Amino acid sequence: MAPLLLFPFVFSIFSISTFPHYLNNISQEQQYLLLQFKAAIWNNNDNLQPNWTPLRPLCNWTGVTCDRSSQSVVTLNLSSMNLHGIISPILGNLSSLRSLDLSKNALAGNIPSQLGRLPHLQVLWLYSNQLQGTIPPSLSACRNLYDLRLSFNQLHGSIPPELSLLTNLKILYLGINNLTGSIPSSLGNLSALVELDLGINNLRGTIPPTLSTCRGLHDLRLTFNQLHSSIPHELSLLTSLEILYLGANNFTGTIPRSLANLSSLVELELAKNDLSGIIPHELGMLPHLQFLNLWGNKLSGTIPSSLGNLSALTVLDLTRNHLQGTIPPTLSACRGLKILHLGANNLSGTIPPELGMLTHLEALYLNKNKLSGTIPNSLGNLSALKNLSLSENNLQGSIPW
């Protein structure tokens, strides 16, 4: 019976004695994988060469972080290292990888579909490269992914609707590419989404109302696409929204009054569209608004005096619309205003002397209107002013010094 009692003890000794060998095998395997990855890239300084060698411990390699217990690679950060070449599909075999950052390099080729084999991946940053091809739908298998940044590349094709399976995703940056097609309505399934940037692409169609289900969204950027139709009222349900950029599209219709429900809004940019109708006075109810840009539309009516309630406002640009009436003196209450652009409208009346109270103003553009009277002496109080344009009006009298 004694040998049987000793068996667990003998087995435990055997296990302990082989454990370092097991870890060594993991380290050697992952060294091999990373050296295969390195063989597909290069840079002018070759700053990986000094320590990316089997002669050094893997966990001491530049940009590599290992899990202490398993010695597996969990982070690979090679951002801003002037890397050229392609991203080797072999990275898909680093099964413990949680974060991959190859951003701000000059990598070309496709995004390997094999990255979808990384079940623990949480962060994937490939932005600011020269990557081509399409976004692999296989990335949807990385169910722990919460931060995906592919912006500033040359990616084409459509946005894979499979990305909606990444229900932990908080940040999705696909801007500054050549993406086409429509915005998948299934992105509304990304209930954890906080930041969504699809700007500067060739996307068509409408803004899917389903995005209104992403109630935690803080930042929504869709500028410089070919989106059309009206701005959906459902966006007013995104009450956590702080940044809304919809400029340089083909939106028509009016500015929804319901945008006043976005009480956390800091920046609102609707420039260079085909929006018509009036500027809703309800926009003056946004207490945190700092940036309001509506230039290059077909807006008519008067400038709402309620905009003077925007005490946090620093930029107001209403250039190139069809606005009429006078410049509301209430704008003088926006004491932090730095840029005031009202040029290329049909504004009439005199320049309110109250504008001289905007002592932080750096740029004042009132050109190409129908303003009359004299230039108020109070504008001489604008000590921070760098740019002033009053041309193409009906102003008289002398220029105050």
Side-chain angles (χ1 to χ4, degrees), residues 2 9 28 40 44 49 108-109 116 132 144 156 163 187 196 201 227 241 258 276 282 301 309 327 331 338 343 355 384:
F9 177 71
Q28 288 179 349
N44 295 332
Q49 185 63 36
Q132 300 173 336
N144 290 303
H156 60 81
L163 294 184
L187 293 187
L196 176 60
N201 279 291
L227 301 172
L241 210 58
S258 57
S276 57
E282 288 87 351
N309 298 328
I327 300 172
L331 291 180
K338 293 183 178 180
L355 295 185

Coordinates of all heavy atoms in Angstrom, one line a residue, residues 2 9 28 40 44 49 108-109 116 132 144 156 163 187 196 201 227 241 258 276 282 301 309 327 331 338 343 355 384:
A2 N 2.1 1.2 0.5 CA 2.9 2.4 0.6 C 3.2 3.0 -0.7 O 3.1 4.2 -0.8 CB 4.2 2.0 1.4
F9 N 2.6 12.3 -4.2 CA 3.7 13.1 -3.9 C 4.7 13.0 -5.1 O 5.3 14.0 -5.5 CB 4.4 12.5 -2.6 CG 5.7 13.2 -2.3 CD1 5.6 14.5 -1.8 CD2 6.9 12.6 -2.4 CE1 6.8 15.2 -1.4 CE2 8.0 13.2 -2.1 CZ 8.0 14.5 -1.6
Q28 N 9.7 30.3 -25.9 CA 10.3 30.0 -27.1 C 9.3 30.1 -28.3 O 9.7 30.7 -29.4 CB 11.0 28.7 -27.1 CG 12.2 28.6 -26.2 CD 12.9 27.2 -26.2 OE1 12.3 26.3 -26.6 NE2 14.1 27.1 -25.6
A40 N 8.6 40.6 -41.4 CA 7.7 41.2 -42.4 C 7.7 42.8 -42.3 O 7.0 43.4 -43.0 CB 6.3 40.7 -42.3
N44 N 14.0 52.4 -40.6 CA 15.3 53.0 -41.0 C 16.3 52.8 -39.8 O 17.5 52.6 -40.1 CB 15.1 54.5 -41.4 CG 14.3 54.6 -42.6 OD1 14.3 53.7 -43.5 ND2 13.6 55.8 -42.8
Q49 N 16.0 45.7 -33.4 CA 17.2 44.8 -33.6 C 18.0 44.6 -32.3 O 18.3 43.5 -32.0 CB 18.1 45.3 -34.7 CG 19.2 44.3 -35.0 CD 18.7 42.9 -35.5 OE1 17.7 42.9 -36.2 NE2 19.4 41.9 -35.1
A108 N 1.6 48.8 -44.4 CA 0.7 48.7 -45.6 C 0.1 47.3 -45.6 O 0.1 46.6 -44.6 CB 1.5 49.0 -46.9
G109 N -0.6 47.0 -46.7 CA -1.2 45.7 -46.8 C -2.5 45.7 -46.2 O -3.1 46.7 -45.8
G116 N -8.8 37.9 -35.7 CA -10.1 37.4 -35.1 C -9.9 36.2 -34.2 O -10.9 35.8 -33.6
Q132 N -4.6 49.0 -46.4 CA -5.6 48.9 -47.4 C -6.5 47.7 -47.2 O -6.5 47.1 -46.2 CB -4.9 48.8 -48.8 CG -3.9 50.0 -49.1 CD -3.1 49.8 -50.3 OE1 -2.9 48.7 -50.7 NE2 -2.7 50.9 -50.9
N144 N -14.2 40.4 -26.5 CA -13.8 41.3 -25.4 C -13.3 42.6 -25.8 O -12.9 43.4 -25.0 CB -12.7 40.6 -24.5 CG -13.2 39.4 -23.8 OD1 -14.1 39.5 -23.0 ND2 -12.6 38.2 -24.0
H156 N -11.1 50.4 -47.6 CA -12.3 50.6 -48.5 C -13.3 49.5 -48.2 O -13.2 48.7 -47.3 CB -11.8 50.6 -49.9 CG -11.2 49.3 -50.4 ND1 -11.9 48.2 -50.7 CD2 -9.9 49.0 -50.5 CE1 -11.1 47.2 -51.1 NE2 -9.8 47.7 -51.0
L163 N -19.6 43.8 -36.9 CA -19.0 44.5 -35.8 C -20.1 44.8 -34.6 O -19.7 45.0 -33.5 CB -18.5 45.9 -36.2 CG -17.3 45.8 -37.2 CD1 -16.8 47.3 -37.5 CD2 -16.2 45.0 -36.6
L187 N -25.4 48.7 -35.8 CA -24.5 49.4 -34.8 C -25.3 49.9 -33.6 O -24.7 50.1 -32.6 CB -23.7 50.5 -35.5 CG -22.7 50.2 -36.6 CD1 -21.9 51.4 -37.0 CD2 -21.7 49.1 -36.1
L196 N -18.0 57.2 -31.3 CA -18.1 56.7 -32.7 C -17.7 57.7 -33.7 O -18.3 58.8 -33.8 CB -19.6 56.3 -32.9 CG -19.9 55.8 -34.4 CD1 -19.1 54.5 -34.7 CD2 -21.4 55.5 -34.5
N201 N -15.1 59.8 -44.9 CA -15.2 58.6 -45.7 C -16.1 58.9 -46.9 O -16.3 60.0 -47.3 CB -15.8 57.4 -44.9 CG -14.7 56.7 -44.1 OD1 -13.8 56.1 -44.6 ND2 -14.8 56.9 -42.7
L227 N -23.9 61.5 -46.6 CA -25.1 61.2 -46.0 C -26.2 62.2 -46.4 O -25.9 63.4 -46.6 CB -24.9 61.2 -44.5 CG -23.9 60.2 -44.0 CD1 -23.6 60.4 -42.5 CD2 -24.3 58.7 -44.3
L241 N -24.7 62.9 -25.0 CA -23.9 63.4 -26.1 C -23.2 64.7 -25.8 O -23.9 65.7 -25.4 CB -24.7 63.5 -27.4 CG -24.0 63.3 -28.7 CD1 -23.4 62.0 -28.8 CD2 -25.0 63.5 -29.9
S258 N -35.6 69.5 -31.2 CA -35.4 68.5 -30.1 C -33.9 68.4 -29.7 O -33.6 67.8 -28.7 CB -35.9 67.1 -30.5 OG -35.4 66.7 -31.7
S276 N -32.2 74.0 -44.1 CA -33.0 75.3 -44.4 C -33.9 75.5 -43.1 O -33.8 74.9 -42.1 CB -33.9 75.1 -45.6 OG -34.8 73.9 -45.4
E282 N -34.4 77.3 -29.4 CA -34.1 76.3 -28.4 C -32.6 76.0 -28.2 O -32.2 75.5 -27.1 CB -34.9 75.0 -28.7 CG -36.4 75.1 -28.5 CD -37.1 75.6 -29.7 OE1 -36.5 76.0 -30.6 OE2 -38.4 75.5 -29.7
G301 N -34.4 83.5 -41.7 CA -34.9 84.1 -40.5 C -33.8 84.9 -39.8 O -32.8 85.3 -40.4
N309 N -27.7 83.4 -24.3 CA -27.8 82.6 -23.0 C -26.6 81.6 -23.0 O -26.4 81.0 -21.9 CB -29.1 81.8 -22.9 CG -30.3 82.8 -22.9 OD1 -30.2 83.9 -22.3 ND2 -31.4 82.3 -23.4
I327 N -28.1 92.1 -35.9 CA -27.2 91.3 -35.0 C -27.7 91.5 -33.6 O -27.8 92.7 -33.1 CB -25.8 91.8 -35.1 CG1 -25.3 91.6 -36.5 CG2 -24.9 91.0 -34.1 CD1 -23.9 92.2 -36.8
L331 N -25.7 88.9 -27.8 CA -24.5 88.1 -28.0 C -23.4 88.6 -27.1 O -22.4 87.9 -26.8 CB -24.1 88.1 -29.5 CG -25.0 87.4 -30.5 CD1 -24.4 87.5 -31.9 CD2 -25.1 85.9 -30.1
K338 N -14.6 83.8 -28.6 CA -13.3 84.1 -29.3 C -13.4 84.3 -30.8 O -12.7 85.1 -31.4 CB -12.3 83.0 -29.0 CG -11.9 82.9 -27.5 CD -10.8 81.8 -27.4 CE -10.4 81.8 -25.9 NZ -9.3 80.7 -25.7
G343 N -20.5 86.5 -41.5 CA -20.4 87.1 -42.8 C -21.2 86.3 -43.8 O -21.7 85.2 -43.6
L355 N -21.0 94.7 -28.8 CA -20.0 93.8 -29.2 C -18.6 94.1 -28.6 O -17.7 93.3 -28.5 CB -19.9 93.6 -30.7 CG -21.1 93.0 -31.4 CD1 -20.8 92.8 -32.9 CD2 -21.5 91.7 -30.8
A384 N -7.9 91.7 -27.8 CA -7.4 90.4 -28.2 C -7.6 90.2 -29.7 O -7.2 89.2 -30.3 CB -8.1 89.3 -27.4

